[in-house]
Amino acid sequence: MISNDNKKYEIEILKNPTTVKLLAQQIKAASDAYISRKMIEKDFRDLILYYATYHGKKLFSKSGNLNTTVVNRIGKKRCELVELMLRDFQISIF
């Protein structure tokens, strides 16, 4: 007999990372899961927008671009993916 094990792959992603390096690590894990189709686009976009809204000081630099530590840690391709998900997002002043 063939057993059908359709287990949904669950990804351990922190919603509230405490450091910039940990934030970059979580974005990297989520990006890899999205690229390998283990996470749907809506969930990935919601996670990136959550990070941008509630952890904007860690994610963005003073010029409004992605933080250089995040860019160096996640790499060029994932950075492009994150910027694509952040399209039409406006950073809050407060």
Side-chain angles (χ1 to χ4, degrees), residues 2-20:
I2 299 173
S3 63
N4 191 1
D5 293 332
N6 288 333
K7 295 181 181 177
K8 185 177 179 181
Y9 184 80
E10 293 187 21
I11 304 156
E12 300 281 331
I13 301 288
L14 290 174
K15 292 285 272 191
N16 298 307
T18 56
T19 64
V20 176

Side-chain angles (χ1 to χ4, degrees), residues 22-65:
L22 188 57
L23 176 70
Q25 182 182 12
Q26 297 304 308
I27 291 173
K28 187 175 179 179
S31 298
D32 290 343
Y34 172 71
I35 291 168
S36 64
R37 298 179 186 245
K38 295 176 182 172
M39 179 184 277
I40 60 174
E41 182 177 354
K42 183 184 180 305
D43 291 342
F44 181 65
R45 183 181 302 271
D46 289 344
L47 180 68
I48 297 300
L49 290 176
Y50 180 85
Y51 286 154
T53 303
Y54 296 105
H55 300 286
K57 290 183 180 179
K58 293 177 199 159
L59 185 60
F60 300 110
S61 64
K62 294 184 188 224
S63 63
N65 299 327

Side-chain angles (χ1 to χ4, degrees), residues 34 41-42 44-46 48-49 79-89:
Y34 172 71
E41 182 177 354
K42 183 184 180 305
F44 181 65
R45 183 181 302 271
D46 289 344
I48 297 300
L49 290 176
C79 184
E80 291 173 3
L81 183 63
V82 169
E83 288 175 350
L84 182 68
M85 295 296 155
L86 287 172
R87 187 164 293 166
D88 297 330
F89 177 77

